[in-house]
């Protein structure tokens, strides 16, 4: 890795730990003094949704999609803090669903371990993968907007119907995804997509929701407490797509919906109808499981991540190539994607 993290992240991590100590104030037996959430209404199942912790591409403001990048040290802390939120609210889980991407799986495991329930069954489903960004994967969002036009790129990023250009065989991620064993069954049946709109993404996410996560009518397993929750750890766009479905949000309104990293929120779902137990459809109705101070801290960290150099890295933490604007401007799109993959890592990449 080209970033030397040993000292660059130390002050930040210490600040997060200090904030955590102030916010959670554990008893000697390890349980928080914060009050538990009220249980779900009778005949309802509480589903907790959460985006993965901050990833390497998140912090560099790069289109990620199906690139299997790792969590940053800050993302690891976010996942641990989410687990403390679960613990402080006395949440119990009967099952957890993740995508097939490591940042989702790692966040789930770390948060469940932090909550003291690392034994919970984790089911991985490719339909919860992040939206496939096609030819944009591995590219800087800011530089792509400068090259191709901000309005066009924002349509690809935020709108419901706009689909980015397809990933071609020349793209450095094409063969990595096509040859990845985790998608072998998908490749032999439906085939691996080359690009998705949010509409395309929603189609598979809702299928996973209705067929696997919360089929209607839903019957909790006999050996579980009716108050036990279902946990889903996924991605920004898969969660936006699911929220749009659950809250009946319009195609115009969904453009303004953002999901911060590793802040859990929940819905109480009617077991018979599969509908959300909340009034006023057409807007976000999920409930964040966090006090206001914690949520503000998470949101501020997320805003800071839009500029990868806001951490004030020392000169020797960054190679000259990463700061040389002239060099970047001479790269083709494929070269830029390959460069970012090399710098920030991609778990599919063969040695």
């Amino acid at each position: 890795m080209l970033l030397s993290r040993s000292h660059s992240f130390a002050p930040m991590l210490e600040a997060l730990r200090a904030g955590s100590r102030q916010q959670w104030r554990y008893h000697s037996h390890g349980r928080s003094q914060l009050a538990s959430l009220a249980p779900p209404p009778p005949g309802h199942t509480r589903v907790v949704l959460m985006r993965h912790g901050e990833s390497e591409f998140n912090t560099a403001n790069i289109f990620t999609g199906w690139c299997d990048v790792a969590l940053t040290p800050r993302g690891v802390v976010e996942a641990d803090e989410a687990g403390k939120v679960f613990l402080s609210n006395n949440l119990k889980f009967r099952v957890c669903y993740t995508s097939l991407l490591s940042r989702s799986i790692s966040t789930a495991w770390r948060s469940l371990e932090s909550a003291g329930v690392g034994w919970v069954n984790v089911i991985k489903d490719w339909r919860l993968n992040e939206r496939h960004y096609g030819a944009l994967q591995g590219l800087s969002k800011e530089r792509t907007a400068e090259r191709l036009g901000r309005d066009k790129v924002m349509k690809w990023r935020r709108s419901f119907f706009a689909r980015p250009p397809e990933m071609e065989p020349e793209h450095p991620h094409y063969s990595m995804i096509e040859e990845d064993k985790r998608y072998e069954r998908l490749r032999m049946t439906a085939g691996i997509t080359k690009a998705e709109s949010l509409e395309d993404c929603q189609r598979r996410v809702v299928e996973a929701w209705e067929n696997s996560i919360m089929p209607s009518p839903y019957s909790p397993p006999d050996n579980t407490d009716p108050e036990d929750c279902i946990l889903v750890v996924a991605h920004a766009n898969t969660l936006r797509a699911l929220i749009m479905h659950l809250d009946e949000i319009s195609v115009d309104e969904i453009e303004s919906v953002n999901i911060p990293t590793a802040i859990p929120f929940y819905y109480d779902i009617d077991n018979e109808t599969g509908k959300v137990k909340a009034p006023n459809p057409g807007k976000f109705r999920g409930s964040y499981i966090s006090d206001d101070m914690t949520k503000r801290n998470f949101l501020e960290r997320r805003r800071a991540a839009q500029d990868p150099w806001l951490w004030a890295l020392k000169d020797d933490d960054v190679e000259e190539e990463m700061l040389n604007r002239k060099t970047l401007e001479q790269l083709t799109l494929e070269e830029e994607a390959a460069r970012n993959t090399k710098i920030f890592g991609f778990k599919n990449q063969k040695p």
Side-chain angles (χ1 to χ4, degrees):
M1 300 293 289
L2 301 186
L3 294 180
S4 173
R5 297 192 177 101
S6 58
H7 55 278
S8 303
F9 284 93
M12 178 179 65
L13 292 176
E14 181 54 36
L16 290 178
R17 293 189 184 105
S20 175
R21 286 193 291 270
Q22 290 178 344
Q23 292 168 20
W24 299 107
R25 302 180 186 278
Y26 285 100
H27 288 295
S28 59
H29 55 75
R31 300 305 293 262
S32 167
Q33 297 181 36
L34 293 178
S36 298
L37 293 173
H44 289 70
T45 295
R46 179 159 294 165
V47 181
V48 178
L49 306 177
M50 183 169 71
R51 184 182 176 189
H52 60 79
E54 180 189 76
S55 76
E56 296 280 8
F57 273 18
N58 289 151
T59 195
N61 207 19
I62 291 171
F63 287 104
T64 313
W66 286 27
C67 301
D68 199 16
V69 292
L71 298 179
T72 63
R74 175 161 54 185
V76 170
V77 171
E78 289 178 347
D80 288 340
E81 291 296 307
K84 293 175 184 177
V85 171
F86 299 156
L87 181 63
S88 71
N89 287 279
N90 198 31
L91 289 175
K92 304 293 193 302
F93 298 102
R94 64 175 63 120
V95 67
C96 172
Y97 292 88
T98 73
S99 73
L100 289 182
L101 296 166
S102 298
R103 57 192 184 273
S104 166
I105 299 167
S106 296
T107 300
W109 280 116
R110 294 198 71 95
S111 63
L112 290 170
E113 276 195 357
S114 182
V117 289
W119 47 263
V120 168
N121 186 31
V122 176
I123 299 174
K124 307 173 189 69
D125 192 329
W126 78 268
R127 294 173 296 184
L128 296 177
N129 271 23
E130 177 59 293
R131 170 188 173 191
H132 195 304
Y133 265 116
L136 302 182
Q137 286 190 185
L139 300 180
S140 162
K141 294 176 183 177
E142 187 62 31
R143 282 182 36 76
T144 303
E146 293 173 2
R147 278 173 161 172
L148 304 180
R150 191 165 300 276
D151 290 344
K152 178 187 290 186
V153 172
M154 286 306 294
K155 276 293 182 186
W156 287 334
R157 289 182 61 187
R158 306 302 302 174
S159 76
F160 185 63
F161 298 110
R163 184 184 295 128
E166 290 192 353
M167 181 180 287
E168 300 289 344
E170 295 76 23
H171 193 287
H173 296 167
Y174 185 92
S175 60
M176 295 178 190
I177 295 173
E178 283 289 326
E179 298 171 10
D180 195 314
K181 286 189 177 295
R182 79 189 87 180
Y183 304 122
E184 189 169 8
R185 180 178 297 180
L186 176 63
R187 187 166 52 250
M188 295 171 62
T189 54
I192 299 175
T193 183
K194 303 300 185 291
E196 288 181 311
S197 64
L198 187 60
E199 180 184 28
D200 300 325
C201 180
Q202 186 188 62
R203 194 173 297 114
R204 59 176 166 85
V205 172
V206 171
E207 180 184 278
W209 175 263
E210 294 182 342
N211 294 350
S212 301
I213 301 172
M214 276 296 299
S216 297
Y218 175 75
S219 298
D222 292 336
N223 61 342
T224 61
D225 188 319
E227 294 184 6
D228 287 355
C229 305
I230 295 172
L231 176 62
V232 179
V233 181
H235 305 265
N237 283 296
T238 45
L239 292 175
R240 286 177 67 225
L242 182 56
I243 287 168
M244 184 179 179
H245 171 72
L246 294 176
D247 288 327
E248 303 174 42
I249 296 175
S250 71
V251 295
D252 293 327
E253 291 296 324
I254 196 61
E255 293 190 18
S256 63
V257 174
N258 292 290
I259 311 295
T261 52
I263 305 182
F265 58 98
Y266 72 89
Y267 291 92
D268 290 331
I269 307 295
D270 188 301
N271 290 339
E272 289 297 320
T273 66
K275 298 292 185 181
V276 174
K277 174 70 174 178
N280 305 319
K283 63 180 182 179
F284 176 75
R285 298 179 293 173
S287 299
Y288 279 105
I289 313 174
S290 175
D291 60 73
D292 288 340
M293 179 181 294
T294 307
K295 190 162 76 171
R296 280 199 301 274
N297 288 344
F298 274 91
L299 291 170
E300 285 304 315
R301 292 206 306 272
R302 191 68 201 97
R303 290 191 189 99
Q306 298 307 309
D307 183 346
W309 311 123
L310 280 181
W311 301 339
L313 300 177
K314 297 180 180 179
D315 291 341
D316 58 358
D317 293 326
V318 183
E319 285 197 354
E320 184 65 25
E321 177 193 4
M322 297 177 71
L323 300 179
N324 189 332
R325 188 72 175 177
K326 182 177 180 181
T327 301
L328 287 174
E329 290 174 350
Q330 293 172 346
L331 297 177
T332 66
L333 295 177
E334 290 78 10
E335 289 170 339
E336 181 183 336
R339 165 191 169 276
N340 290 335
T341 300
K342 176 184 175 183
I343 290 173
F344 295 99
F346 184 13
K347 289 181 178 295
N348 307 63
Q349 193 168 11
K350 298 178 180 179

